[in-house]
Amino acid sequence: MAKAALITGITGQDGYHLAEFLHGKGYEVYGIIRGQHNPKRARVEQEQPFVKLLEADITDTSSLIRAIETARPDEFYNLAAISHVGYSFKVPQLVADVTGKGVLNALEAIRLTGGEKTIRFYQASTSEMFGGLDYNRPGKGYDETALFHPRSPYGVAKLYGHWITKNYRESYGMHASCGILFNHEGERRGLEFVTRKISNAVARIHLGKQDHIELGNLDAKRDWGYAGDYVVGMWLMLQQDQPDDYVLATGETHTIGEFLDLAFKEVGINDWKPYVKQNPAFMRPAEVDILLGNPAKAEAKLGWRRKVDFPGMVKLMVQHDIGLESATSLD
Ligand code: NAP
Ligand code: G4F
């Protein structure tokens, strides 16, 4: 019989890639969609008609219970979050409820439906929990043993989600694993994140639809991988006999300036400086200056390997956005 998976955050970047991947593996895929009229519903229904959408909200445990009773999942992937770090400074209490306590709601819904011994649980933890302070591991990068020091309401909420997942594993014997994922991007990335904001602006500049882009801090460094590679790691975690926590990362770190270099070169522009303006509105009250992950454990124990490299990912994103922007009229 086909396995069933229930995904929260189905309308997000990772929800899209994970649904594709699990469908390809023969899973019955259920996705939780929130809101009384979610504008992303039509996109999922059109592009991924195999996904069975269930209306629920991560802040409403009763709705999660009903979703579990309908889907009877073997695997529960908790990807739901308010995931934008900058925005989390604007709505910190909402972020605590959704990104933090939402994880507890999901775990409790599993227990209350009697699924703690049968449903395998994935929690979307993040490199933002490390925060980039005490960056004293030259050449090694953050691994599963590194100290946490979150630098945003988002990072703090995620750390709660991380520890409550570990706590439910230890307290109730749940097969609950946390993927500590470093930044992963791609053609499905939201336009509010820096990589997609750049790839989309570069495409529009190339097509004469825009003349510049406004950004915040250009010096921050991130360990950027491709989202399609990272959802494979999520699945691998839930196929192990024992639950555990794993870092997924590339082991390379690049500045936003380096991303700009490659993206603009993709459309034949060698000097991006005339096209980029700095705008303090995009600066954050506290910044994570550098993130570099060490995926050695995931590589050794899960056999996980990322396939798309940094230049390949930038190219893929810019070319995708040129296609997208060419297909829409001048605005
Ligand atoms: P994303 O594109 O921002 O998607 C977030 C998803 O959460 C959306 O489907 C959103 O639904 C849903 N959501 C928000 N509030 C909700 C609520 N109250 N109830 C139910 N669903 C809700 O994020 P992503 O990039 O796919 O990331 C997936 C997960 O991995 C997130 O938890 C993120 O924090 C974490 N993560 C991401 C990265 C990364 O680099 N992408 C790295 C580490 C960890 P709507 O569309 O309706 O808003
Ligand atoms: O693209 P970002 O918003 O991603 P950030 O903050 O690293 O968070 C992403 O990755 C985390 C994993 O480490 C996830 F947990 C999280 O959910 C999310 O997916 O910003 C990247 C860097 C930051 O240093 C930011 O200050 O880019 C800098 N930046 C500069 N100008 C900008 C901008 N970020 C955004 N979003 N918009 C700008 O205009």
Side-chain angles (χ1 to χ4, degrees):
M1 208 173 80
K3 277 190 183 175
L6 178 58
I7 303 173
T8 70
I10 193 77
T11 53
Q13 169 186 256
D14 291 3
Y16 170 83
H17 286 286
L18 183 62
E20 287 296 301
F21 177 76
L22 294 176
H23 179 57
K25 289 249 167 233
Y27 278 67
E28 217 179 321
V29 181
Y30 291 85
I32 283 177
I33 186 147
R34 72 184 174 114
Q36 62 184 39
H37 181 65
N38 192 320
K40 296 176 194 158
R41 174 187 276 272
R43 199 269 295 151
V44 179
E45 285 173 344
Q46 197 187 340
E47 294 183 352
Q48 299 183 309
F50 56 85
V51 174
K52 297 178 182 70
L53 289 173
L54 301 173
E55 286 174 317
D57 193 294
I58 200 73
T59 60
D60 182 335
T61 308
S62 65
S63 71
L64 298 174
I65 288 172
R66 279 191 291 277
I68 291 170
E69 285 172 346
T70 304
R72 312 296 320 163
D74 300 285
E75 296 171 12
F76 186 125
Y77 294 87
N78 184 39
L79 309 184
I82 294 176
S83 76
H84 193 275
V85 175
Y87 184 59
S88 78
F89 287 97
K90 301 195 170 125
V91 290
Q93 291 169 296
L94 183 61
V95 168
D97 286 342
V98 174
T99 304
K101 188 162 167 277
V103 186
L104 175 61
N105 297 342
L107 290 163
E108 273 298 290
I110 290 173
R111 288 191 65 222
L112 288 165
T113 51
E116 72 260 41
K117 291 284 185 271
T118 54
I119 301 175
R120 295 188 173 193
F121 182 78
Y122 173 84
Q123 168 55 19
S125 290
T126 169
S127 47
E128 277 290 311
M129 300 185 312
F130 297 126
L133 286 185
D134 299 329
Y135 181 74
N136 56 3
R137 309 175 146 232
K140 188 167 183 245
Y142 288 100
D143 62 17
E144 296 78 4
T145 65
L147 289 179
F148 296 125
H149 187 137
R151 300 263 293 159
S152 63
Y154 168 78
V156 174
K158 278 287 181 185
L159 195 50
Y160 174 79
H162 185 75
W163 278 108
I164 200 68
T165 302
K166 286 168 80 90
N167 179 259
Y168 271 49
R169 176 164 84 213
E170 292 167 5
S171 304
Y172 305 114
M174 287 178 69
H175 194 297
S177 298
C178 301
I180 307 174
L181 270 52
F182 283 64
N183 298 53
H184 45 280
E185 319 289 317
E187 70 280 17
R188 296 279 164 172
R189 191 56 147 151
L191 287 162
E192 68 273 34
F193 298 96
V194 77
T195 55
R196 185 77 196 288
K197 185 173 171 182
I198 294 171
S199 67
N200 188 258
V202 166
R204 290 173 62 85
I205 290 167
H206 175 63
L207 295 169
K209 295 169 96 173
Q210 183 172 327
D211 59 12
H212 75 280
I213 175 172
E214 296 191 6
L215 295 170
N217 175 18
L218 302 185
D219 299 323
K221 296 178 99 174
R222 288 291 180 274
D223 181 326
W224 276 304
Y226 177 59
D229 290 341
Y230 285 51
V231 299
V232 181
M234 296 176 188
W235 175 76
L236 284 169
M237 288 176 214
L238 298 203
Q239 310 317 305
Q240 305 308 304
D241 289 341
Q242 297 303 323
D244 204 346
D245 306 323
Y246 298 90
V247 162
L248 298 185
T250 69
E252 288 175 25
T253 189
H254 300 276
T255 61
I256 290 147
E258 287 175 78
F259 193 102
L260 284 164
D261 268 340
L262 289 174
F264 274 94
K265 280 190 179 132
E266 187 64 24
V267 296
I269 297 172
N270 289 323
D271 180 13
W272 49 261
K273 294 197 178 60
Y275 299 94
V276 176
K277 292 185 185 156
Q278 276 197 296
N279 182 340
F282 297 114
M283 304 279 192
R284 294 169 184 179
E287 176 64 284
V288 173
D289 295 323
I290 178 164
L291 286 175
L292 170 66
N294 181 344
K297 178 177 169 184
E299 291 180 353
K301 295 204 166 171
L302 304 178
W304 179 78
R305 290 276 183 291
R306 59 96 179 221
K307 293 193 180 124
V308 180
D309 65 8
F310 180 61
M313 186 190 74
V314 179
K315 185 185 186 69
L316 175 157
M317 291 178 73
V318 172
Q319 288 302 335
H320 172 270
D321 280 338
I322 290 174
L324 191 73
E325 290 295 333
S326 303
T328 52
S329 59
L330 277 176
D331 46 62

